Amino acid sequence: MKRVAVLGSTGSIGRQALEVIDRHPGLELVAASSGSQPIDGLAPLTQVGGNPAEVLEQAEPDVVLNAIVGFAGVTATLWTLEHGIDLALANKESLVAAGDLAVTARERGGGRLLPVDSEHSAVFQCLEGRDPETVHSVVLTASGGPFRGRNREELQDVTPEDALAHPTWSMGPKITVDSATLANKGLEVIEAHFLFGLPYDRVEVVIQPTSVVHSLVRFRDGAALAHLGYPDMRVPISYALTFPERAATEIEPLDLSAGLRLDFEPVDSDAFPLLGLARRAGEDGGTYPCAFNAANEVAVAAFLEGRLPFLGIAELVEETLDAADGSPARDLDELIAADDAARRLAHRGLAVA
Ligand SMILES: NC(=O)c1ccc[n+]([C@@H]2O[C@H](COP(=O)([O-])OP(=O)(O)OC[C@H]3O[C@@H](n4cnc5c(N)ncnc54)[C@H](OP(=O)(O)O)[C@@H]3O)[C@@H](O)[C@H]2O)c1
């Protein structure tokens, strides 16, 4: 029996994780958390809001699935890694904002960091058991979101409703908007840098509109391995929760006779500047990725509330990065201070927008 704690149990990933746990006799739900929705009785131990450390301490899980959305997931990521407990990580924002601290915490704790993001799960699987020396680069795929093919002018008047209509994945609102702006792919480039220890120029992004190719790894001999499957998050969730067993799921095998399309396109960086801004933040290092994430969270919330146009999201993030301090954070307190400072800059930018 593997004891599992699910943080963010009421969300899109959290609910799919509960389904996976329910159907697998070897997985036992020992604790669950949410941000504000009531979850009484969902698990033997539950917590709504606040720091999940106490409930995790009591539950003694073998694996923690962090499916909280946003910077709010940082504390749980660092706590789990420090304690040497396996971390199934959906909350990419925590690895973006706290990448350096997370890498150190994992080294100290000695647990495993298992990606749940479908692209990183794909890369993880393509890399499994291979000598890092043989790896040339990784290629993260992006669906391109609902606005693929549009130019800047055509993006001027798009609404939150348009942005929330994702063509291939059904997800929570924040990541769905991030997919429409390609900020999500930017977060994933930084996530890949920290997960796989690769420099940014060896993490590429390509558009693959059907989301069937989840990512690729290029090797030094010219070969590339790709991971294929239907876009269904229960597969990477199950893989991470049952690693290294790769348990059976109810997902249909890929039907290769049904006219699958595997086309690839380059990213239009003029229409979708957030990918480039994320790369810049990652390369600048320190707390720039934290500032990128904070400004993006503020901007996406404002866009969803109708206070900022779609193209204003990238503008606000760029202004915030230009004004941010970016010095490295030595501990969680300094990171929280950097996150706060970036949020204040972004709110100030919003007020004059
Ligand atoms: N959805 C996907 O397919 C997908 C794919 C790859 C990666 N991810 C990543 O997985 C994470 C979750 O995404 P999602 O789509 O599942 O989001 P979601 O549907 O919006 O769910 C978010 C979850 O986080 C909880 N939460 C929100 N604020 C919190 C706080 N301050 N403290 C503690 N818990 C809080 C929510 O609780 P309440 O319901 O009580 O607010 C909810 O359970 C994100 O980092 C996302 O980037 C998602």
Side-chain angles (χ1 to χ4, degrees):
M1 260 311 185
K2 216 184 233 188
R3 299 165 60 79
V4 187
V6 176
L7 310 179
S9 60
T10 47
S12 160
I13 292 288
R15 281 181 278 115
Q16 293 179 82
L18 296 180
E19 203 183 301
V20 167
I21 295 166
D22 218 32
R23 294 195 177 163
H24 191 294
L27 298 175
E28 182 188 6
L29 180 69
V30 293
S33 86
S34 73
S36 57
Q37 294 194 62
I39 49 168
D40 294 341
L42 184 64
L45 292 162
T46 57
Q47 175 165 340
V48 178
N51 182 350
E54 204 175 308
V55 94
L56 290 176
E57 200 110 30
Q58 260 181 286
E60 297 183 356
D62 299 309
V63 55
V64 173
L65 173 73
N66 186 352
I68 294 171
V69 62
F71 187 82
V74 165
T75 323
T77 286
L78 294 180
W79 186 94
T80 306
L81 293 172
E82 278 298 348
H83 285 75
I85 298 167
D86 286 354
L87 174 63
L89 185 66
N91 176 256
K92 64 190 90 186
E93 295 93 339
S94 59
L95 204 54
V96 169
D100 293 317
L101 296 179
V103 168
T104 313
R106 175 172 58 165
E107 278 164 13
R108 269 201 300 258
R112 286 186 288 217
L113 178 42
L114 302 159
V116 169
D117 229 348
S118 61
E119 296 77 0
H120 303 74
S121 177
V123 170
F124 184 87
Q125 292 174 55
C126 292
L127 287 174
E128 228 181 307
R130 284 169 228 286
D131 182 349
E133 289 265 300
T134 64
V135 176
H136 173 274
S137 53
V138 305
V139 186
L140 305 178
T141 53
S143 71
F147 305 139
R148 179 174 63 85
R150 296 200 198 184
N151 60 32
R152 275 185 78 75
E153 209 186 321
E154 292 164 327
L155 290 172
Q156 238 153 30
D157 299 320
V158 298
T159 64
E161 202 184 11
D162 300 330
L164 289 173
H166 197 279
T168 53
W169 292 100
S170 162
M171 311 178 285
K174 195 257 174 182
I175 183 175
T176 307
V177 174
D178 284 349
S179 299
T181 62
L182 289 200
N184 182 49
K185 219 42 60 177
L187 295 170
E188 290 179 5
V189 166
I190 302 174
E191 183 185 10
H193 162 81
F194 286 112
L195 272 174
F196 307 118
L198 286 168
Y200 285 98
D201 61 359
R202 290 168 64 197
V203 183
E204 297 170 38
V205 173
V206 70
I207 304 289
Q208 201 283 300
T210 55
S211 299
V212 168
V213 181
H214 294 143
S215 278
L216 305 93
V217 177
R218 299 184 203 275
F219 291 89
R220 64 182 176 191
D221 60 354
L225 294 186
H227 180 289
L228 274 65
Y230 291 121
D232 189 319
M233 286 307 294
R234 289 172 300 175
V235 177
I237 292 170
S238 176
Y239 181 81
L241 293 184
T242 66
F243 183 83
E245 176 198 338
R246 194 190 284 275
T249 72
E250 292 181 1
I251 295 32
E252 290 293 311
L254 204 57
D255 183 353
L256 298 172
S257 65
L260 271 184
R261 299 291 305 262
L262 303 179
D263 314 63
F264 296 92
E265 299 168 8
V267 173
D268 177 350
S269 45
D270 180 48
F272 301 99
L274 277 155
L275 175 58
L277 287 170
R279 231 178 232 292
R280 182 185 118 191
E283 277 162 359
D284 289 347
T287 50
Y288 281 111
C290 175
F292 173 90
N293 178 65
N296 183 55
E297 286 190 28
V298 170
V300 169
F303 168 68
L304 286 172
E305 288 162 13
R307 292 188 290 126
L308 190 68
F310 184 77
L311 293 175
I313 301 176
E315 285 163 13
L316 192 65
V317 171
E318 186 166 15
E319 277 167 33
T320 307
L321 282 177
D322 286 345
D325 165 274
S327 331
R330 282 166 299 186
D331 55 28
L332 182 57
D333 288 341
E334 288 190 4
L335 188 77
I336 291 171
D339 174 75
D340 266 355
R343 275 169 210 270
R344 264 184 274 117
L345 284 171
H347 280 293
R348 214 174 300 153
L350 254 187
V352 293

